[in-house]
Amino acid sequence: MSSTSVLYDAPGVRAKRRNIIYTALFVVAFVLAAWWILSVMADKDQLAANKWNPFVTDAEVWTTYLLPGLGVTLQAAALSIVIALPLGALLGIGRLSDHAWVRVPVGAVVEFFRAIPVLLMMVFAAQLYVQFSTVSSDLRPMYAVVTGLVLYNASVMAEIVRAGILSLPRGQTDAAKAIGMRKGQTMVYVLVPQAVTAMLPALVSQLVVIVKDTALGGALLGLNELLYQLRPITANYGANTIATLVVIGLIFIGLNSLLTSFAGWLEKRLRQGKKSSGAVLSADDVQQANAPGGKA
């Protein structure tokens, strides 16, 4: 049996011994760090039962603060995702255009918004809505957060789409050309359907980023989202900042885990539906694509 693997040489006796020692040292260091953190929290009275009990015994903390805040978070994330996904797909396809008058401006837009921090775009959008719109002050934070998230994440998704399409074998495009498909038909019927599976993990990672970045609106723009509820909860339940942050963090973890699990299930279904690496087109699809009035 070979002592090497594809990525690295298999560890020998001494290397295995060192790995065990390093692992043990790391575990000890982690336990000591956790013990120190818990000790400091205990000294600051942050582990007292009265700091954590409201989240178990008082339903009002959920119905008045956490659940409404979660609803606003989901609303902002959903609006951003619904707008950013198709916009990112269009920008990504535009970057692959054969026409320079399309490819160059789209590339400039994508690179520009990818280079700007999303928080800066949120703040800038908020000021624009103040100066040049009639949006009410109650809705302005939501508008600003969604605008910033859409501009940034659509640009990132455009690169994901472009990379996913370019990762496909060249033979897919050649085969589509051989049966008379135009560039638009090849993109719609052949390349994009295949690239979706390859792009899905990266797209889901970006969707998770959108959900988490809604917290920026609560921290600086006053959006009444989940993290923003830290202020009224700590004001009404005895300065339980650590406990509230832990609960909010767990909610974010659960929400993003659900999103990731759904994406994993969807990716599995997509892969099971494909018996080969190529897109399967029926005869009706090909005839429709090549018809004089067919979709471009």
Side-chain angles (χ1 to χ4, degrees), residues 73-143:
T73 292
L74 293 175
Q75 182 182 0
L79 287 173
S80 301
I81 291 170
V82 167
I83 301 172
L85 273 176
L87 180 59
L90 290 175
L91 292 174
I93 294 173
R95 294 209 67 179
L96 297 173
S97 175
D98 294 331
H99 305 289
W101 61 272
V102 175
R103 184 177 64 254
V104 173
V106 169
V109 169
V110 170
E111 294 300 329
F112 177 79
F113 286 113
R114 276 207 311 155
I116 301 177
V118 64
L119 179 58
L120 181 59
M121 283 191 280
M122 290 181 183
V123 174
F124 189 72
Q127 292 303 313
L128 286 179
Y129 285 125
V130 170
Q131 298 294 330
F132 302 106
S133 76
T134 58
V135 178
S136 67
S137 58
D138 294 336
L139 295 177
R140 199 177 298 139
M142 175 67 76
Y143 276 58

